[in-house]
Amino acid sequence: MAYKIKVWCFLLVLLKLESILQNCAHAAPQVPCFYIFGDSLADSGNNNHLLTTAKANYRPYGIDFPNGTTGRFTNGRTTVDIIGELLGFDQFIPPFATARSRDILVGVNYASGAAGIRDESGRQMGDRISLNEQLQNHAATFNRLIQLLGTKRAAAKYLNKCLYYVSLGTNDYINNYFLPGNYITSRLYTPDQYAKVLIHQYSQQIKRLYLFGARKIALPGLIPLGSIPYASSILCRNNLSCLANINNAVLPFNAGLLSLVHRLNKELNNARFIYLNISGMSSSDPSVPGSRVTNVGCCPVLGGVCFPGLTPCKNRTEYVFWDGIHPTESSNQFTARRSYSAFLPSDAYPYDISHLVNMQI
């Protein structure tokens, strides 16, 4: 009976998603532009030419992507790619590294693999573009918009209508706090203290976006990081107590981010912020019929990323993770869909992306 219910939920969701995509195909985008800040979960090529091990510009990455290998850390589309489609964009938002001229009018993807809220996060992997540096890149975009639109006021007014998606924090844990041999943060802070430090810095960075004209901002939380294959195979060596500690350490960050959204909506009443409960989505997705492979990635990994040139699994839709860290396109579809149009009331607060982009500000 439970299985039949899940199948019915799955079919209903597919029908709903098909309807949304058909509407998007025949209408202008719901927002004029889409700006993305993040890490490897959203990177679409910004790390390709950096001196770093955090890059995905080789096969089998992109094996299912329309344009082949681009630097996306998955087999196909990322969550933000799919959200862009749901918003009605007929092209993928260009990475900052290759965005040219009027490209920036539809948006820019600033995300960078290994990037964090803290500047030092991910440094053991080499070069990366931290959130502070991504904000500097957005400042450069803002100046280019002034040139295109004529005045600073016109540029800010244009950005008032855009959607901003800001998703960081993962590397501040798996490539900082949980690597005591490389970083001292776990010796300086308890998990609760560290979450408060991160949220405080994050709030200042988000307010910088507001000063540039951002008025519609989506802030996804973190998944239970103890559930990723990299945590069990590398960070914890299958130690269940260690995995539980990692999951518990992320909880105060998500709680703090939810509180931050509530506070920002009160303080900045001419802007709208939403929290996306990615953790809740990953643990209670009613639209997946049957079981899925969750403990290993689809492709053979070296550390957390795919080993170059090796053949990945054939049944990719049955896998939650593509490599040791990053979801498959199939998983990204579920996350994007529920972020755009909440399936459960707990998926988003105070509302989902589809309601955010239609708010009059």
Side-chain angles (χ1 to χ4, degrees):
M1 177 63 71
Y3 176 79
K4 290 182 178 179
I5 292 173
K6 286 185 176 182
V7 170
W8 275 111
C9 288
F10 178 68
L11 292 173
L12 287 171
V13 167
L14 284 182
L15 288 171
K16 184 177 182 182
L17 181 58
E18 182 181 4
S19 174
I20 291 171
L21 288 173
Q22 286 176 348
N23 289 337
C24 289
H26 298 94
Q30 297 163 53
V31 287
C33 40
F34 184 21
Y35 291 95
I36 301 154
F37 299 78
D39 49 33
S40 54
L41 295 173
D43 190 348
S44 59
N46 287 312
N47 276 25
N48 287 355
H49 301 295
L50 299 184
L51 294 175
T52 179
T53 58
K55 60 174 63 179
N57 57 341
Y58 59 87
R59 285 291 185 130
Y61 287 101
I63 191 170
D64 299 315
F65 190 71
N67 302 329
T69 300
T70 59
R72 287 168 168 81
F73 287 73
T74 186
N75 58 306
R77 294 166 297 165
T78 63
T79 296
V80 292
D81 287 331
I82 298 164
I83 290 173
E85 292 175 352
L86 293 171
L87 289 169
F89 289 97
D90 59 5
Q91 60 183 312
F92 296 113
I93 302 302
F96 179 78
T98 59
R100 296 291 179 267
S101 186
R102 300 184 70 84
D103 288 350
I104 63 174
L105 288 170
V106 298
V108 178
N109 185 337
Y110 302 97
S112 170
I117 296 168
R118 294 173 66 92
D119 290 341
E120 82 272 13
S121 294
R123 70 184 172 203
Q124 84 282 0
M125 304 184 74
D127 294 340
R128 68 265 171 238
I129 308 165
S130 68
L131 179 54
N132 280 330
E133 292 172 306
Q134 292 178 38
L135 292 170
Q136 291 173 13
N137 290 339
H138 188 57
T141 296
F142 185 72
N143 288 331
R144 289 164 63 188
L145 283 171
I146 293 174
Q147 294 175 352
L148 288 172
L149 300 176
T151 66
K152 183 176 180 180
R153 182 182 179 186
K157 190 173 181 180
Y158 185 76
L159 294 179
N160 289 170
K161 305 172 185 176
C162 304
L163 175 65
Y164 285 74
Y165 185 97
V166 187
S167 178
L168 290 103
T170 295
N171 289 302
D172 297 291
Y173 285 96
I174 67 171
N175 282 312
N176 189 323
Y177 194 74
F178 293 122
L179 290 182
N182 298 86
Y183 302 92
I184 64 170
T185 46
S186 62
R187 296 189 291 277
L188 292 176
Y189 307 109
T190 66
D192 283 347
Q193 290 170 336
Y194 188 58
K196 288 179 181 177
V197 168
L198 286 179
I199 293 298
H200 175 73
Q201 182 170 345
Y202 211 15
S203 69
Q204 301 307 307
Q205 293 162 326
I206 292 164
K207 287 178 181 178
R208 285 170 61 186
L209 278 180
Y210 174 84
L211 294 177
F212 280 117
R215 294 296 182 270
K216 299 179 179 182
I217 303 179
L219 299 169
L222 303 181
I223 66 167
L225 294 175
S227 70
I228 65 175
Y230 175 76
S232 58
S233 64
I234 303 296
L235 295 179
C236 293
R237 307 291 181 182
N238 294 313
N239 183 311
L240 295 181
S241 176
C242 171
L243 294 174
N245 288 337
I246 290 178
N247 282 335
N248 290 334
V250 173
L251 294 177
F253 177 86
N254 285 340
L257 187 57
L258 177 60
S259 296
L260 176 63
V261 164
H262 181 74
R263 187 168 73 249
L264 289 174
N265 278 324
K266 283 192 169 184
E267 292 177 3
L268 307 173
N269 56 20
N270 64 335
R272 297 292 182 270
F273 300 83
I274 65 169
Y275 171 74
L276 301 173
N277 184 16
I278 308 300
S279 176
M281 296 177 198
S282 66
S283 63
S284 63
D285 196 327
S287 60
V288 185
S291 61
R292 307 180 75 199
V293 181
T294 61
N295 61 328
V296 294
C298 172
C299 71
V301 297
L302 176 64
V305 297
C306 295
F307 199 89
L310 294 187
T311 303
C313 67
K314 300 296 185 184
N315 53 336
R316 292 188 275 278
T317 58
E318 297 178 18
Y319 279 70
V320 171
F321 293 99
W322 166 245
D323 55 20
I325 298 172
H326 308 97
T328 56
E329 179 184 78
S330 177
S331 295
N332 289 334
Q333 286 178 338
F334 289 121
T335 301
R337 170 182 44 75
R338 289 179 66 166
S339 297
Y340 178 80
S341 182
F343 195 87
L344 298 174
S346 59
D347 285 350
Y349 172 83
Y351 34 72
D352 56 31
I353 289 175
S354 69
H355 288 85
L356 174 64
V357 295
N358 286 304
M359 296 292 291
Q360 298 298 317
I361 298 176

